[in-house]
């Protein structure tokens, strides 16, 4: 399966308009934003857990990065309410589930060799960072020199420019913005190759976004077996 596999082209996906695709586990459905591979794939996905659903234990051979969007995501290690961000590096494992249902944003098999950092950021956690023009809040979730992940809030009716020297990926969490001739609403996702700067105009309610500044695929990205 190949979905938005050309990393040299800018992409915008309005995921809230996509159909849910059932996963192999009952009650767990997906909206696929980027995917290269079969059931084991390099992928970026919105995943919905129905109340009481679970996924079998699995090992993150290629690493897993998650942002909880709604509800509470759970595993044997704890509960992760909306706003939690965590990274499960290669070799970790868990049994993901949700007692009351949840929606999460997931990136799989996009880790590079040597990235073994495991972190959990609870809602509101993260280091405050200097604000760009048009922003009124920004929290750094992760930065190891190769990837920089943050959540930012931009003021209503502002024009915001984001330099893009490595590659840029963003997900609208709340509010709205206009960029590249399109209106991005909650759960709209965009990916821009290096050199394609983002220029956005926020809506009347402002916008909160998750943003990753990093190569869209690391040169030493972990390889999927087979």
């Amino acid at each position: 399966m190949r979905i938005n596999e050309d990393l040299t082209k800018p992409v915008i996906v309005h995921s809230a308009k996509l159909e849910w695709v059932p996963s192999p586990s009952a009650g767990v459905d997906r909206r696929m934003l980027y995917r290269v591979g079969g059931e084991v794939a390099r992928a970026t996905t919105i995943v919905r857990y129905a109340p009481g659903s679970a996924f079998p234990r699995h090992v993150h051979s290629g690493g897993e990065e998650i942002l909880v969007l709604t509800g509470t995501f759970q595993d044997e290690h704890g509960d992760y309410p909306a706003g939690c961000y965590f990274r499960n590096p290669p070799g970790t494992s868990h049994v993901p589930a949700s007692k009351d249902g949840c929606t999460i944003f997931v990136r799989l098999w996009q880790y590079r060799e040597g990235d073994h950092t495991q972190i959990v950021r609870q809602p509101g956690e993260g280091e405050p960072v200097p604000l760009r023009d048009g922003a009124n809040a920004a929290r750094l979730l992760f930065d190891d020199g190769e990837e920089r992940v943050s959540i930012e809030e931009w003021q209503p009716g502002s024009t915001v420019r984001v330099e893009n020297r490595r590659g840029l990926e963003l997900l609208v969490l709340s509010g709205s913005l206009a960029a590249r001739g399109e209106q991005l609403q909650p759960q709209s996702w965009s990916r821009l190759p290096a050199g394609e700067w983002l220029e956005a105009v926020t809506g009347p309610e402002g916008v909160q976004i998750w943003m990753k500044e990093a190569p869209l695929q690391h040169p030493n990205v972990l390889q999927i077996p087979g």
Side-chain angles (χ1 to χ4, degrees):
M1 181 180 294
R2 293 183 173 271
I3 298 172
N4 293 320
E5 77 278 11
D6 189 344
L7 302 180
T8 68
K9 295 181 179 179
V11 173
I12 293 175
V13 179
H14 304 290
S15 71
K17 297 180 180 180
L18 299 179
E19 296 293 329
W20 290 105
V21 177
S23 79
S25 292
V28 181
D29 301 319
R30 301 179 288 201
R31 286 170 167 163
M32 301 179 186
L33 310 176
Y34 160 63
R35 195 172 190 89
V36 177
E39 188 53 38
V40 176
R42 202 177 313 284
T44 301
T45 313
I46 303 289
V47 180
R48 179 181 66 182
Y49 283 75
S53 61
F55 214 84
R57 175 173 295 281
H58 57 275
V59 176
H60 306 119
S61 299
E64 175 184 67
E65 183 178 12
I66 290 178
L67 178 68
V68 182
L69 303 178
T70 66
T72 299
F73 180 77
Q74 297 161 312
D75 63 15
E76 67 271 33
H77 307 297
D79 293 353
Y80 311 96
C84 275
Y85 168 79
F86 53 97
R87 298 171 64 93
N88 290 323
T92 57
S93 68
H94 67 166
V95 181
S98 183
K99 177 182 176 182
D100 298 319
C102 70
T103 305
I104 61 175
F105 171 72
V106 187
R107 301 175 82 255
L108 298 172
W109 280 99
Q110 297 182 59
Y111 272 62
R112 68 186 189 280
E113 295 177 2
D115 184 354
H116 302 298
T117 303
Q118 186 168 22
I119 63 166
V120 176
R121 297 279 185 260
Q122 294 292 335
E125 289 186 346
E127 177 186 349
V129 292
L131 303 180
R132 68 180 82 248
D133 290 344
N136 55 20
R139 291 184 287 115
L140 184 66
L141 301 177
F142 177 76
D143 189 350
D144 67 351
E146 298 289 336
E147 299 186 13
R148 184 181 189 276
V149 182
S150 61
I151 289 180
E152 299 194 9
E153 297 177 10
W154 297 347
Q155 301 167 7
S158 298
T159 298
V160 181
R161 296 176 178 86
V162 180
E163 294 186 18
N164 179 14
R165 301 186 184 280
R166 294 185 285 181
L168 187 65
E169 184 176 344
L170 63 91
L171 181 73
V172 175
L173 304 179
S174 64
S176 64
L177 62 83
R180 307 186 71 87
E182 299 197 44
Q183 291 289 328
L184 281 69
Q185 305 290 337
Q187 297 189 24
S188 289
W189 172 80
S190 181
R191 188 186 66 204
L192 299 174
E196 294 275 355
W197 290 23
L198 173 67
E199 181 167 329
V201 178
T202 63
E205 67 277 50
V207 71
Q208 183 185 57
I209 65 167
W210 174 94
M211 186 160 52
K212 176 188 284 281
E213 300 167 73
L216 300 185
Q217 181 168 299
H218 293 289
N220 57 342
V221 67
L222 293 172
Q223 297 301 305
I224 299 174

